[in-house]
Amino acid sequence: MNASSPSPAQNQASPATLYGGVTNRRVTVRDLAAAKQRGEKWSMLTAYDALTAGVFDEAGIPVLLVGDSAGNCHLGYETTVPVTMDQMVMLSAAVVRGTRRAMVVADLPFGSYQESPAQAMHNAARLMKEAGVGAVKLEGGERSARSIELLTEAGVPVMAHIGLTPQSVHALGGYPVQGRGDEAAHQLLRDAKAVQQAGAFSVVLEAVPAELAKQVTEQLAIPTVGIGGGPDTDAQVLVWTDMAGMTAGRVPKFVKQYANLRAVLGDAARAYAEDVRAGTFPAAEHSFH
Ligand code: KIV
């Protein structure tokens, strides 16, 4: 080992970069804290199955979220509300099996943690023991602080989620931008500080004005992960089906579409059907003799 190469101990604690950095183990909460220290921005994508998760893992995405957005992006529901613990365990286990390097964070779905910190602990333990995830995410700021405290004391890394919280879609009457106006902005700051104080290792800021997300990011020691929070958060997250153009219909303003997978897959399916109809598939090279 020469003077410039890290010792094994240093390599354990902080890879040179999160993106394309350490490859011999999973990304940890310490790596994310170190990234904030050195000002490195990182990306998170959702994933709901082993195959897609494997693609993102190989691409070097350091954190994969098994979001309860699986409800509307994978399971065919209209919202995240119907998603169950059993579904989250099954999807999360698949994402863990399909990856080697990414930290896998799983959402606690609606109704699986709001009753009490004990309920949150019971279900977080299921995601860790049965699916093997490295962390859980739950919605709510001050209102979820007691649960975050119990989970982190028990050794469960918690990513908090404030601003627009999609599990409250029926109470909010849709998906409006949050934190507009003085009182709402102050509440968002209180929520951010409450989850940090309770022990969360990072916090998602969804659909909040960019200036407010910047202010929160500057005031917190833990990394902020923006989705519709402008360019100044420490990390960004997108729902993979939005990012890759699989989503049917309109996507939110904050989405940038990096591919048009829906068109690519549709073209492939039509070409296959046409070959079968014309008798050109299977050809000789696809046949056994
Ligand atoms: O469920 C999800 O995908 C999420 C992201 C939008 C942050 O919570």
Side-chain angles (χ1 to χ4, degrees), residues 29 108 117 120-121 124-125 128 134-138 144-160 194-202 222:
V29 292
L108 282 165
M121 183 61 219
M128 294 188 85
V136 302
K137 178 165 83 57
L138 52 77
S144 295
R146 282 193 315 122
S147 293
I148 295 171
E149 210 165 81
L150 178 66
L151 294 184
T152 51
E153 274 170 11
V156 180
V158 178
M159 179 179 279
V195 299
Q196 170 171 278
Q197 175 70 26
F201 73 89
S202 69
I222 59 173

Side-chain angles (χ1 to χ4, degrees), residues 222-248:
I222 59 173
T224 56
V225 186
I227 176 162
D232 294 312
T233 51
D234 298 301
Q236 297 287 333
V237 56
L238 283 176
V239 167
W240 90 259
T241 47
D242 292 344
M243 180 280 299
M246 268 295 280
T247 305

Side-chain angles (χ1 to χ4, degrees), residues 44 46 48 65 67-69 107 137 161 204 206 227 237 239:
M44 176 161 101
T46 65
Y48 316 111
L65 171 67
D68 59 357
S69 52
D107 258 334
K137 178 165 83 57
H161 182 157
V204 170
E206 180 163 353
I227 176 162
V237 56
V239 167

Side-chain angles (χ1 to χ4, degrees), residues 8 14 30-31 43 66 78 95 97 116 138 161 180-181 191 204-205 213 258 264 267:
S14 89
R30 292 174 66 196
D31 298 322
S43 53
V66 189
E78 277 192 13
V95 169
R97 283 193 296 269
S116 65
L138 52 77
H161 182 157
R180 282 193 169 139
D191 283 335
V204 170
L205 306 177
Y258 287 86
V264 171
D267 287 347

